[in-house]
Amino acid sequence: MPRSSRAPAALAVLAAAALLGACGAGGKASTSTRGGPAANGTARPRSGLDRTAPAAAAAPSKASFVAFADGVCASFRADLAALDRSERAKQPAYRARRLADLVGAAVDRLTSAPRPRAGRVALDRYLRRLAEQRALLERLAGVVERGDAATARALNLRIDEVSRAAHVAAGAYGLVVCGS
């Protein structure tokens, strides 16, 4: 691929990363157990966005979920900072793929945790935006890997819109770190 077509794609990936870091729209990709969903240990990880709590497990309080989610967002920001320091992250395709992986892991952590009943509509709105952002970042990673700078720019604009919507939704739900 000619060097001139890499620069716009790299810029698109860097802009997306900056937006994600600023909006806190994601979480930690590692398997760290920091900030679990419920302090009492009753939370059971589940997958998918729409689910009901099993009869045996009580839904966490909104405050405990906010603490958990903000912990995920803080961890994501730390992982993003580590990515920014990585020499390999200067390669646009690597950076795009790693960013998609980091956001994907955060979405998985947030959507697999039991959710409180309080504010469920607002929280679901936030989680849907994160899932949309994840899908767009995965597409962006593939586009950057192919060297398609024009599509990367278009996707980056959409990622920007979704990031802003996620940021607003996080704040509306009461997330402090994720909403700042």
Side-chain angles (χ1 to χ4, degrees), residues 12-163:
V13 173
L14 292 173
L19 287 169
L20 290 171
C23 294
K28 186 168 174 64
S30 75
T31 57
S32 169
T33 58
R34 287 184 274 168
N40 64 8
T42 61
R44 293 186 185 150
R46 290 172 282 154
S47 62
L49 288 177
D50 56 346
R51 63 194 175 282
T52 57
S61 69
K62 182 176 178 179
S64 69
F65 187 86
V66 166
F68 163 70
D70 279 342
V72 170
C73 291
S75 295
F76 170 81
R77 289 179 182 184
D79 286 346
L80 184 59
L83 177 63
D84 289 341
R85 291 186 302 270
S86 165
E87 190 65 32
R88 193 163 177 207
K90 293 178 182 174
Q91 301 168 2
Y94 173 82
R95 181 177 184 78
R97 181 58 55 199
R98 186 69 181 120
L99 186 58
D101 291 345
L102 289 174
V103 170
V107 170
D108 288 346
R109 286 185 69 198
L110 291 171
T111 59
S112 67
R115 287 181 252 152
R117 288 180 180 87
R120 177 74 52 107
V121 171
L123 178 58
D124 286 348
R125 186 175 303 122
Y126 173 61
L127 295 175
R128 279 192 306 274
R129 294 294 176 252
L130 290 184
E132 183 179 1
Q133 189 172 49
R134 172 190 200 168
L136 289 168
L137 284 166
E138 288 171 352
R139 271 188 66 201
L140 178 65
V143 165
V144 170
E145 288 167 350
R146 288 190 309 273
D148 184 349
T151 304
R153 283 190 298 274
L155 279 171
N156 191 52
L157 291 174
R158 181 67 184 136
I159 290 167
D160 182 26
E161 292 170 13
V162 173
S163 293

